[in-house]
Amino acid sequence: MNFTLRTALGLLLLTSLLWSAPLFAALPGDRIDLKVLVLSSDGTEPSFSAWTTALDRAGVPYDAIIAEQADPITANTLAAGPNHARYQAVVLATGGLIKCGLTGCASALAQAEWDELNAFQVRYGVRRVVAYAYPTPEYGFMWPFAAGDQAGVTGALTVAGKQVFTNLVGQVKIDTGSYGYLATPLATNPAGTFETLIEGPVDSAGTPSALAGVHHRSDGFDELVLTIDGNAYQLHSLLMAHGLIEWATAGVHLGLERNYFMLHIDDVFLADDRWDVNDNVTYEDGGATNPEVRMNAADVDRALAWQQSTGLKLDMVYNGAGSDEAIAANGSDPLSAALKVHKDEFRWINHTYTHLNLDDASLTEITAQIVNNVFFATTFGLTINCTELVTGEHSGLKNPAMASAVLAAGIAYLGSDNSREPMPYEIGQATTIPRHPANVYYNVGTYEEQLDEYNYIYFDGCVATPVTTCLTAPATYAQYVDSEATIMLRHLLTNDPRPHYFHQNNLAEDGTLYPVVDEVLARYNAYLKVPLMQPTFMNSGKILARQLAWAAMRATPGAVEAYLKDGVITIAASGPVPVTGYGAGAYYGAERSGWVTVNGLASLSLEVPAGGPTYVEDSAVVTNPCGGGGDQA
């Protein structure tokens, strides 16, 4: 065996041993509570909000201590006894929790507090993440050779980095407005050894900088150090969050994450009005000068080809009157014929029969809109879930008659607009499911119309508000696509099961949906290798309900208790609990995780059972009275 191959195999073995080492340095009988400690100087650091937001999104329990406002950290803060660690991981918002003022810079913790924290981490082998640090020899770095906004820098995962950020393909792009430092690791360091996870630009000697790496401290525990700042919504923060949590907790924690992308296509079978690029207005039923936009048979073929190429499904949110009226007027309807042939290749959701605005509709009118569209599905041969409904324009949700209507029709899930009502609420027996809107407009068929309306809203006719930022110059189509793809990609990276909604006209003519969504997918696939999940509308609601119930449970003192002891996770709770790292969990990427219903106490082994994981991820499948059914989340 030659020296190069022998060295490579040695490094591979070292890396394998490093990342598959026993969890923590716990002694037999030690109890490690499944909770993260996040430490901040004054609570204003972007990295502090980035971490607390990431933990909330994933559903990981944590305590946040703001040093300036809290009592001093003592041994009792960190451990409940000689064999009971209160925390499984420690996160520092900034290196040393340094804060600078008029009198200079100083740590928010006294030396005695640092001594207690370090001793605790050594005793239990608890890992530390330094979310943003000035690189110094104390952390295993040379002094920085560059500083400033690192926007546009693309970090590359090393071999070791790919063992930590298992959900990523290999690169991390630093977002706009990200101050940071570039520094290379020390070749030798008496304070410990350093292993780079994400490489950045090289120094003058051609040595890559380390944007993130693990400092194996000589005093007995590991800390992962990052040299680029980031807030809760910047791309690099979103990309790294999952891997950082998994590393900090050694892959065992409460909470779990998935990436979701459901695509609802509203108004299927109907025609939509068209934007007038000269008058900057939408004319209803515009006639010869502004003909309505409606899909045709070729558009169905294009949608099917797109589904095949992307592996994603479109949810057709349909209005049966559009088909019935087209056939009555013309004797036949090529769109209806094409959709009927391929009906089983799409998913279908009731959007009411004629798309009537239901804000002032009577109980009889609302019920007829729901039931007539179900009847259309039956006669047309569509498989739908009769418990799902999206009303036209999300109308009628405040109508007092709606509660009785959904009861009579058996509706359990109602669509709402996430930009107006981001939290679910009950209407009689039904619960709303917020859907993300997009600036892919309902009243356009061509790229020209789409861009013209976009620029009218955000430039020509723009009025700045707290939620609307006006452009300083008209956007190009590429700039428009970039902006919308950036917004959508963030949604995909935040464990958010809310669907996105578009309209049938976005699949017609130029296909205004495709450039935006294709760009989202291109970016996603460039950065991530875990699959996008597409639960049905009903199951989106179930997932969201579980997440919110779990958030409420975590926020209730004493409602949940969980710890790791001798290779077994013990949970005391009442209700579904998300767990990552136990042996019988379902795989998503490299991690095993799932929702476990706990009534009192539950014990979960870290060992993978013979034959592999057997846990069914979403066991709450409801029998569907219209055909179809629940799917796995």
Side-chain angles (χ1 to χ4, degrees):
M1 181 182 295
N2 65 55
F3 177 80
T4 302
L5 179 58
R6 186 166 59 245
T7 303
L9 289 175
L11 289 173
L12 180 62
L13 177 61
L14 176 61
T15 301
S16 174
L17 291 173
L18 173 64
W19 299 115
S20 62
L23 296 175
F24 312 109
L27 302 174
D30 279 353
R31 165 177 165 163
I32 312 291
D33 287 354
L34 298 185
K35 182 178 284 190
V36 175
L37 174 61
V38 185
L39 293 172
S40 164
S41 172
D42 60 7
T44 66
E45 306 96 332
S47 53
F48 175 66
S49 65
W51 262 92
T52 54
T53 302
L55 293 170
D56 283 332
R57 287 168 177 160
V60 179
Y62 65 92
D63 285 336
I65 294 179
I66 299 174
E68 287 188 353
Q69 304 170 12
D71 294 331
I73 292 175
T74 65
N76 187 58
T77 307
L78 306 169
N83 300 99
H84 182 173
R86 297 186 190 273
Y87 301 105
Q88 63 178 138
V90 174
V91 178
L92 304 183
T94 57
L97 295 184
I98 299 294
K99 183 181 179 182
C100 297
L102 297 176
T103 59
C105 298
S107 174
L109 297 184
Q111 186 57 51
E113 295 176 278
W114 285 115
D115 292 342
E116 292 289 0
L117 185 63
N118 293 345
F120 164 76
Q121 293 190 238
V122 170
R123 164 62 180 85
Y124 293 100
V126 169
R127 291 172 170 177
R128 176 185 297 178
V129 175
V130 184
Y132 175 46
Y134 181 80
T136 68
E138 178 186 0
Y139 293 118
F141 287 94
M142 298 282 287
W143 296 99
F145 63 85
D149 189 350
Q150 303 301 320
V153 167
T154 298
L157 298 184
T158 64
V159 172
K162 291 179 180 178
Q163 300 298 314
V164 174
F165 300 98
T166 57
N167 60 325
L168 301 184
V169 171
Q171 60 178 329
V172 177
K173 184 176 180 180
I174 308 303
D175 214 337
T176 302
S178 305
Y179 197 91
Y181 305 94
L182 302 180
T184 59
L186 286 168
T188 58
N189 181 15
T193 59
F194 189 92
E195 186 165 19
T196 300
L197 302 181
I198 303 176
E199 290 183 340
V202 300
D203 65 9
S204 59
T207 304
S209 57
L211 306 182
V214 176
H215 184 214
H216 307 289
R217 294 169 50 127
S218 59
D219 58 358
F221 67 89
D222 289 347
E223 58 185 355
L224 196 160
V225 185
L226 299 101
T227 66
I228 307 292
D229 204 359
N231 63 39
Y233 302 98
Q234 289 178 301
L235 178 62
H236 59 283
S237 295
L238 294 171
L239 291 174
M240 292 190 294
H242 176 77
L244 292 173
I245 291 172
E246 295 307 305
W247 182 88
T249 61
V252 178
H253 57 83
L254 301 188
L256 61 80
E257 294 180 89
R258 301 287 188 268
N259 297 338
Y260 300 99
F261 198 23
M262 290 73 72
L263 300 150
H264 287 191
I265 311 300
D266 290 7
D267 303 352
V268 172
F269 293 118
L270 291 180
D272 287 306
D273 299 321
R274 188 185 297 270
W275 174 260
D276 189 298
V277 298
N278 297 311
D279 296 344
N280 290 325
V281 68
T282 302
Y283 292 110
E284 294 187 10
D285 305 323
T289 56
N290 288 284
E292 293 178 304
V293 187
R294 187 172 188 255
M295 292 174 65
N296 59 32
D299 297 325
V300 175
D301 291 338
R302 178 171 56 178
L304 289 167
W306 185 86
Q307 284 192 157
Q308 182 67 29
S309 66
T310 62
L312 297 180
K313 281 281 189 180
L314 297 173
D315 289 286
M316 297 302 199
V317 188
Y318 74 97
N319 306 93
S323 174
D324 289 345
E325 291 169 0
I327 293 173
N330 305 304
S332 64
D333 179 29
L335 172 61
S336 296
L339 285 171
K340 191 165 188 175
V341 169
H342 299 289
K343 63 184 186 301
D344 294 335
E345 297 179 64
F346 300 105
R347 301 194 302 196
W348 298 88
I349 299 172
N350 189 344
H351 196 34
T352 73
Y353 184 61
T354 68
H355 203 279
L356 179 70
N357 186 295
L358 303 179
D359 286 342
D360 298 313
S362 67
L363 173 60
T364 300
E365 289 173 319
I366 298 173
T367 302
Q369 283 291 317
I370 299 171
V371 174
N372 288 346
N373 215 37
V374 173
F375 179 74
F376 171 84
T378 301
T379 57
F380 197 83
L382 302 180
T383 299
I384 66 169
N385 184 330
C386 280
T387 67
E388 302 172 343
L389 176 68
V390 178
T391 60
E393 302 176 59
H394 301 111
S395 63
L397 302 186
K398 306 302 182 186
N399 187 329
M402 182 60 75
S404 296
V406 298
L407 177 63
I411 300 300
Y413 298 97
L414 272 167
S416 63
D417 187 336
N418 185 75
S419 67
R420 299 174 181 175
E421 299 176 313
M423 297 299 291
Y425 59 91
E426 294 182 354
I427 300 176
Q429 69 171 11
T431 302
T432 63
I433 303 176
R435 304 190 303 160
H436 289 293
N439 283 321
V440 184
Y441 301 128
Y442 83 96
N443 56 349
V444 299
T446 67
Y447 298 156
E448 178 191 10
E449 293 161 354
Q450 169 64 50
L451 185 61
D452 184 81
E453 185 172 1
Y454 181 82
N455 279 326
Y456 179 78
I457 293 172
Y458 289 101
F459 180 68
D460 298 301
C462 185
V463 177
T465 71
V467 295
T468 301
T469 301
C470 295
L471 298 173
T472 58
T476 65
Y477 202 81
Q479 290 169 332
Y480 154 72
V481 169
D482 173 71
S483 176
E484 292 308 301
T486 297
I487 294 169
M488 284 188 203
L489 183 60
R490 288 196 189 107
H491 296 161
L492 272 56
L493 303 180
T494 55
N495 202 26
D496 184 359
R498 295 169 176 82
H500 288 76
Y501 73 93
F502 307 85
H503 295 82
Q504 65 82 30
N505 64 288
N506 303 134
L507 303 184
E509 299 186 12
D510 286 352
T512 53
L513 173 147
Y514 297 115
V516 174
V517 175
D518 285 347
E519 179 63 20
V520 175
L521 296 177
R523 296 182 189 186
Y524 183 90
N525 293 328
Y527 296 125
L528 294 116
K529 57 185 178 182
V530 289
L532 287 167
M533 308 296 286
Q534 288 196 297
T536 62
F537 192 43
M538 174 186 73
N539 278 337
S540 294
K542 290 182 177 296
I543 295 165
L544 187 56
R546 280 197 302 242
Q547 289 179 341
L548 294 173
W550 170 238
M553 189 188 302
R554 296 197 321 272
T556 303
V560 60
E561 183 178 1
Y563 60 87
L564 178 65
K565 182 178 180 180
D566 296 332
V568 175
I569 300 170
T570 299
I571 304 171
S574 179
V577 177
V579 187
T580 293
Y582 71 108
Y587 276 102
Y588 182 66
E591 287 81 40
R592 297 182 302 273
S593 59
W595 288 87
V596 179
T597 299
V598 182
N599 294 306
L601 282 175
S603 295
L604 306 174
S605 173
L606 302 184
E607 297 294 327
V608 178
T614 58
Y615 180 81
V616 177
E617 182 160 331
D618 189 348
S619 58
V621 175
V622 175
T623 301
N624 183 352
C626 298
D631 60 356
Q632 292 191 5

